[in-house]
Amino acid sequence: MYLLILVTAGGVREFRFDRLFRIIDELCGEGILRGEEIIAQRGYSTYQPKNYKTFDFIEADEFKRLVSGAAFIISHAGTGTVVPAVKAGKKIILFPRLKEYHEHLDNHQLEICSLFLKKRYALVARNKRELTDCISKIGSFTPEAFVSDNSRIVRLIMSCIEENREV
């Protein structure tokens, strides 16, 4: 059993992520997801779970504290949430918002998941079965250290500056 498991859906205003919260509730009820405290940041979702605590939004410092204290995190694949957690070396399971469930405008979160999985920064699940599998592996999963590489964007910016420099 883990001390704290954090579930987060970000804050995409016009889209709910009730699918994730229902699955988490089922996994808690089935004893598959067990922790002393399981807490979820729901954002604009409306699902009310029976088996864990939720909040809509909190201050950034409090959210950082939860991330820091989490044994692992289950998160949508939004970069604003995922990158800081991965940089902090947290174990994370990505559960992307999908267009087919009206959770986002497109499936760009699948692309983010693919990259983070390839780099071994995170595990990825798209449904209950895959999430159950990831939960069973999270204890032995060691994420790769995140390496930020801004050199390509710096070169691109410098190239644009050089091309547009007045003589």
Side-chain angles (χ1 to χ4, degrees):
M1 181 182 319
Y2 296 98
L3 293 178
L4 172 64
I5 300 168
L6 177 63
V7 181
T8 180
V12 182
R13 182 175 299 264
E14 54 277 350
F15 298 103
R16 294 186 306 218
F17 204 19
D18 292 341
R19 178 173 64 100
L20 172 61
F21 299 117
R22 277 191 190 91
I23 291 171
I24 295 294
D25 211 14
E26 291 171 11
L27 294 176
C28 289
E30 295 165 8
I32 293 168
L33 187 58
R34 295 178 291 134
E36 280 188 23
E37 184 174 20
I38 300 171
I39 188 165
Q41 178 267 321
R42 294 182 318 169
Y44 295 98
S45 294
T46 57
Y47 180 77
Q48 295 291 329
K50 300 173 193 86
N51 297 300
Y52 60 94
K53 298 180 214 171
T54 66
F55 60 89
D56 294 334
F57 297 100
I58 56 175
E59 294 295 320
D61 288 344
E62 179 65 11
F63 189 75
K64 286 179 189 174
R65 186 189 67 73
L66 286 173
V67 168
S68 176
F72 69 92
I73 300 164
I74 299 171
S75 177
H76 75 131
T79 56
T81 303
V82 176
V83 171
V86 171
K87 282 183 175 181
K90 301 308 291 187
K91 293 182 178 196
I92 189 163
I93 299 170
L94 298 179
F95 196 94
R97 291 172 174 266
L98 299 175
K99 180 182 178 181
E100 68 191 85
Y101 297 109
H102 309 288
E103 297 163 346
H104 222 305
L105 290 172
D106 58 30
N107 283 329
H108 72 276
Q109 289 196 359
L110 287 173
E111 296 170 24
I112 294 167
C113 285
S114 178
L115 175 65
F116 278 70
L117 183 64
K118 181 179 176 183
K119 297 275 191 179
R120 292 200 31 84
Y121 295 149
L123 299 175
V124 174
R126 292 172 304 245
N127 56 51
K128 183 179 177 180
R129 182 188 54 75
E130 290 178 5
L131 185 54
T132 300
D133 187 48
C134 287
I135 290 167
S136 73
K137 293 176 181 176
I138 199 71
S140 61
F141 174 67
T142 303
E144 292 292 325
F146 183 80
V147 178
S148 181
D149 181 10
N150 296 331
S151 61
R152 183 171 172 237
I153 192 72
V154 169
R155 285 193 306 273
L156 181 60
I157 292 169
M158 293 305 292
S159 173
C160 288
I161 291 170
E162 293 296 322
E163 287 177 15
N164 294 314
R165 184 175 288 177
E166 291 184 12
V167 180

